[in-house]
Amino acid sequence: MTDLSKLRNFSIVAHIDHGKSTLADRLLEACNTIDLREMEDQILDNMDLERERGITIKARAVRLNYQADDGEDYVLNLIDTPGHVDFNYEVSRSLTACEGAVLVVDASQGIEAQTLANTYLAIDAGLEVLPVINKIDLPAARPQEVKQEIEDVIGIPAMDAPEISAKNGINIHSVLELVVRDVPPPQGDRDAPLRALIFDSQYDSYRGVIVYLRVMDGMLTPGMDVRMMATGAEYKVVECGYLAPKGMIPCDGLGAGEVGYLTASIKTVSDTRVGDTVTGAANPAAEALPGYKAVQPMVYSGVYPADGSKYGDLRDALEKLKLNDASMSYVQENSIALGFGFRCGFLGLLHMEVILERLEREYNLDLITTAPNVVYQITKTDGSEIEVYTPLNYPDPAEIAEAREPFVKASIISPQEYVGNIMELCQQRRGEFKDMTYLDTTRVELHYEMPLNEIIYDFFDALKSRTRGYASLDYELLGYRPSKLVKLDILLNGEQVDALSFILFADSAYARARKTCVKLKENIPRQMFEIPVQAAIGGKVIARETIKALRKDVLAKCYGGDITRKKKLLEKQKEGKKRMRSFGTVSVPSEAFMAVLKLDDDD
Amino acid sequence: MLLNKPPKKAPSEIKPLGLYIHVPFCRSKCEYCDFYSLGGGLNHESMDLYLQAVLAHIKEASQRVVGYAVDTVYFGGGTPSFFDAQGLNRILAEIDRRFQLEKDAEITLEANPDSVTAQSLEKLRRAGFNRISIGVQCDEDVKLKALGRPHTYKQAQLAVSQARRAGFNNVSVDLMFGLPNQSREQWMSTLRNVLDLKPDHVSCYGLKVEPNTPLYEYKEGANLPDDDAQADMYFYAVETLESFGYQQYEISNFARPGFECRHNLKYWMGEPYLGFGPAASSDFGGKRFTAAANLDQYITGILEQGVILSECDTIPLRERAGEYLMLRLRTSVGIEENEYMQTFLLPFAPLEELLCMYEKRDLARKEETGRWRLTPKGFMVSNSILVQLLEAQQKSKPLAKIRGN
């Protein structure tokens, strides 16, 4: 067990693309934790999807052994964090497991939106923030100015910040020295009852759930009985250890201050929620660590196999994903248009995109997704209360006494020159302005109260495009407020397609209806006859487009030598049609469903 | 009458057979052409070897074809007329010698206006060619040039009158619409001018931009009429030709009564044919096979007993049922319930359900004879229609018992 004074627990925070993952790779390399030939770029991001999108979705941790210039051996635990507002809660838990954060800032770009947002998260978590200037070897590097910016905007000393190039391995050593020198060693009483913070968990088909944790107090040893304080689940620890880049190394015990993992034949990650406290069943701690909350899905969407016969495959895939992702939920749903599928709950739109992409990639499924919605509360005229997770269950307007939708408090940080754009956007999205404060001479923080529904579609994208990527967004749930809601139905060739229905604010219905009809018209190929596309509220049509009849789909020449080729062409066309869903006589490609999910407000 | 009765099964009876000769030589390659042909002009050595190979191929094949009489011969290309008349006549003579060639056989030559003369046409006519299909395509020289056609419209007019003078009383012209920069008005005037030549048969093809052609490379900037414009041109052609007495008997083919191309009808009726020359296809003895699209391989294969086929498939009945829909519905003959059920042992009802829906939308119609055919509007979207019909067919279960049997 490592002496507390020789332990350093830290994470790296940065704006996207400022070099966080590359620096992590270099630190691993510098500590010889991993052979050069085994290096694969960005080892910490080990989901393919993470590597491609350049984002970290699940947090990871790794232990580095480092002999510092003072001749002493140190153990450095590097804890990686996800970088998106959907996963803010996970970020805050990961940071809570550390005492310090290395803040990577690009020497030419300077401070950007996520630099600030992540720094504030680190400061909120009580971490020592250590600035590092990266990409120092780029021609446009301006390290002195960037250091000044850090001092002015964030208000932490930065003049001595190491100037490095993670890509080319320049000055990596100084970052390690900085961590040893400036990250406070962890505190904690190894004789107290066990309290360990779960900051991540992962399902492994051989060992069950692997729980990543930071021991705050006491000792964790194999064989001991532990209890998850929030969920109440109890397990006997099979193994505990720490995390090397190449895998898990079992050990005799983890003491206060240490970061590692435990396995205990846990069958589902739902029992080991991020933020929960692990304590000893025999000698439990009096109080759990602060800050736990049960993460609830905020966004719901219907997920259907594009090929109806793949329903079983989709169910199996969701079951497996759920083992590894406690924040996702799913229940069976039955649409007249799409057949059997699931109503799935997600933390946010990115979470949804990631899950859908994993389903398609890792489980080789073609999916049709319906428009995401929040959870609505309805008081019916008979006095009963219901929660609506899907437009399929939205009651008849005559039965609704009051409809309520969730509101959030949104906080947006941005350079002040974009305030006008932001205000305009928030107003469009039914935002109610609360206040604005200057963080310094150039940066402002705005607070709005707005419906969650307005945020889940494309608000973050719209915000970024209006602020050249500088604004950052955070939001928290305020609760439910009464609202004027309607259900918009879509009709193709006069027949209602239930999977295209959605619930929205009444005043937005007309514009949204028109856009949806246009998008469908653009994305449904012309067919043998004209197809009216209509949007209706309670039977009253409020928008209409027409998909003109296909007039030419013919092979002009077909003689002896063309027959085989023509057969293949028709076969291909038949395959293409199979990938579409038929509604009555209308074939709709899954892209059409996707297109109505992405309605750009700037049109 | 176009409708051929299903072939009787009596083995003693002589069955009809079509022959197709692919002549893969051209003066130059057209911009839109994806047929197998060598566009490099005259190459006497290749042409001579080709001739030897085709003659040998005919001789060899004829020995294995017993009980058939050849009632159609079609020389296609490439540009058969670009091959010298003497060579063509030798091929025809070899066919006559090796096969049982019917006296009234239809013997067609595809020709380009620039590669026929009064003399060559007379020679060919005398040798037995009795139908000529002239590639006119368009009446505007600018467009012909842009397409890479090596002739003018004037040459085309001349070729038609020379063919008449040489004694061809079955003259067909090929036209194309949907050409780069072509307006509807221009197409209308092309049609009217070409009808002044009084052809017996007209083929009108909507230009299709095929991959691996020069046109494909610059199609974006070629100002091609869009699908709607092409459809308008097509419907105009159908109407005009019908009003001038040319009946539409296939998607792209129109003829004065009695002048339908008997050879091409074999393709659409599912009747047997044998192909000679590189890239030529055959449908014979339940198999469909195609020679490699490679002149050298064809020559070596024939003369040295090597491999000449690139494809050879046995077509099961179930697949023939699909071909029946795909090919017959190209024609005005169309399809018929009992014929379909008795030939393929499949139910017609699932198809008729769709056909009735098409009828309501003027895409198909049931004739008084009980046969279903597509309307011109239906022809124009026949791929979409076929996809639906084939899907319905695929799902249908074979009949346990044929009604009336």
Side-chain angles (χ1 to χ4, degrees), chain A residues 414-423 446 466-471:
Chain A
S414 163
Q416 59 151 12
E417 62 259 44
Y418 304 115
V419 164
N421 294 350
I422 294 170
M423 288 183 152
L446 296 103
R466 280 163 178 75
T467 60
R468 295 178 55 215
Y470 277 99

Side-chain angles (χ1 to χ4, degrees), chain A residues 337 489-492 495-501 583 593:
Chain A
D489 294 319
I490 302 295
L491 294 85
L492 293 178
E495 285 180 46
Q496 188 184 324
V497 180
D498 61 357
L500 287 171
S501 297
F583 302 113
F593 287 89

Side-chain angles (χ1 to χ4, degrees), chain A residues 526 551 553 556 558-559 567, chain B residues 205 232 268 319 323 380 384:
Chain A
R526 288 166 70 173
R551 295 190 62 213
D553 179 21
C558 186
Y559 298 100
K567 271 162 74 177
Chain B
Y205 299 111
D232 288 338
W268 307 317
E319 215 173 308
E323 291 182 6
M380 209 51 185
S384 304

Side-chain angles (χ1 to χ4, degrees), chain B residues 338 340-347 399-405:
Chain B
N338 289 314
Y340 176 78
M341 293 200 307
Q342 282 163 17
T343 315
F344 305 109
L345 310 178
L346 290 170
L399 295 169
K401 205 170 108 190
I402 305 286
R403 196 174 59 192
N405 272 22

Side-chain angles (χ1 to χ4, degrees), chain A residues 316-359:
Chain A
D316 293 348
L318 284 168
E319 251 168 43
K320 282 187 192 142
L321 276 187
K322 173 79 183 163
L323 288 177
N324 209 6
D325 189 343
S327 50
M328 181 194 73
S329 71
Y330 65 96
V331 292
Q332 197 207 303
E333 177 174 87
N334 191 4
S335 145
I336 297 162
L338 297 174
F340 288 112
F342 295 93
R343 174 101 334 211
C344 298
F346 308 97
L347 295 178
L349 226 51
L350 179 81
H351 187 214
M352 169 170 146
E353 277 173 28
V354 166
I355 299 250
L356 295 179
E357 224 170 306
R358 288 187 64 183
L359 286 172

